[in-house]
Amino acid sequence: MSSRHLSAFDRALIQFDQALHTLVPGTARAQRANPAKSELEADLDAKERHHTAGLMRINHTGEICAQALYQGQALTAKLGKVRAAMSQAAQEEVDHLAWCEQQLKALDSRPSVLNPLFYGASLALGAAAGLLGDKISLGFVAATEEQVCRHLREHLDQLPIQDQANRAVLTQMLDDEEKHGTVALEAGGTRFPRWIKRAMKQASKAMTATTYRI
Ligand SMILES: [Fe+2]
Ligand SMILES: [Fe+2]
């Protein structure tokens, strides 16, 4: 069905369904195999396991935010020719979400209880950026991906050396996120000034500090 035939109620139902698929564990379906599957599970002591679970919980919440950002953007931005590229990126984010969830489970851990809160905030931000026009909306995607890449590099440095499974997941994610940022800029996204990026960095610190623990 073409989107212009959808009523506001239809759109609200679709959005609700997307929110459930993002937030309810076990409902995100990856299209690509989890890169961790080809690696042997590492022998981690209690401290390493706890730290790795904290890092993977941050990454999982980051992917919830990415879902919400792309969903918010799809609601309000025009996007035109780049809509297909953006939905390809959004599908790759579903893979990331499913992989992070699987990795948390393998660590006997769980996603953050704060995820609905971060989902709502990111959906609103994505939709607001979309209302400001495609250049801003795509610029916001690029700036967000830049931030995500920084986190992923830090986490790759912090993972226990023997943990090849989580390393494989984060490495593939880093590869994808770099590509998403480039696609958004090449599609006409504005390069955000440093002060906005600094503000985004501060906001992301609130997310990482809380979701590492809860
Ligand atoms: Fe992602
Ligand atoms: Fe991404």
Side-chain angles (χ1 to χ4, degrees):
M1 193 189 292
S2 154
S3 60
R4 62 178 179 276
H5 295 132
L6 298 176
S7 68
F9 183 67
D10 291 334
R11 282 173 193 271
L13 274 185
I14 291 169
Q15 185 48 56
F16 184 65
D17 181 63
Q18 283 182 330
L20 282 182
H21 271 89
T22 308
L23 288 168
V24 177
T27 51
R29 291 272 169 267
Q31 288 192 348
R32 292 172 293 171
N34 184 340
K37 294 281 180 262
S38 49
E39 304 292 337
L40 284 175
E41 210 178 306
D43 196 11
L44 303 176
D45 65 27
K47 200 174 159 202
E48 289 171 329
R49 188 170 279 268
H50 176 80
H51 184 52
T52 305
L55 297 180
M56 294 312 285
R57 189 156 40 249
I58 291 172
N59 291 318
H60 180 267
T61 302
E63 295 305 325
I64 294 267
C65 294
Q67 290 293 310
L69 168 62
Y70 282 105
Q71 288 168 20
Q73 182 188 52
L75 282 177
T76 55
K78 292 191 185 71
L79 297 175
K81 280 187 233 151
V82 299
R83 190 169 279 273
M86 288 299 110
S87 46
Q88 164 74 24
Q91 174 52 49
E92 290 180 0
E93 306 295 4
V94 177
D95 291 354
H96 300 169
L97 183 68
W99 298 343
C100 286
E101 205 176 287
Q102 288 159 12
Q103 294 314 105
L104 277 171
K105 213 169 177 181
L107 289 158
D108 294 322
S109 193
R110 46 148 191 85
S112 171
V113 294
L114 300 173
N115 283 343
L117 195 80
F118 287 112
Y119 177 87
S122 304
L123 186 74
L125 273 174
L131 287 175
L132 294 174
D134 286 1
K135 278 181 183 295
I136 301 288
S137 174
L138 292 164
F140 186 54
V141 167
T144 306
E145 295 288 9
E146 195 180 307
Q147 197 130 238
V148 172
C149 288
R150 191 166 40 238
H151 284 155
L152 288 171
R153 285 191 199 96
E154 283 171 15
H155 292 181
L156 279 165
D157 280 347
Q158 290 181 38
L159 278 182
I161 197 90
Q162 71 275 30
D163 187 355
Q164 293 305 321
N166 285 305
R167 188 171 301 282
V169 173
L170 296 191
T171 303
Q172 182 60 55
M173 281 167 58
L174 178 58
D175 209 45
D176 293 341
E177 314 297 17
E178 280 173 342
K179 197 178 63 196
H180 298 162
T182 307
V183 167
L185 286 177
E186 284 175 352
T190 305
R191 280 183 196 274
F192 278 13
R194 281 164 78 126
W195 67 269
I196 295 187
K197 287 188 190 172
R198 262 203 303 274
M200 288 172 70
K201 195 173 169 186
Q202 286 307 319
S204 84
K205 273 188 187 164
M207 185 276 264
T208 56
T210 50
T211 56
Y212 178 82
R213 290 177 288 113
I214 49 174

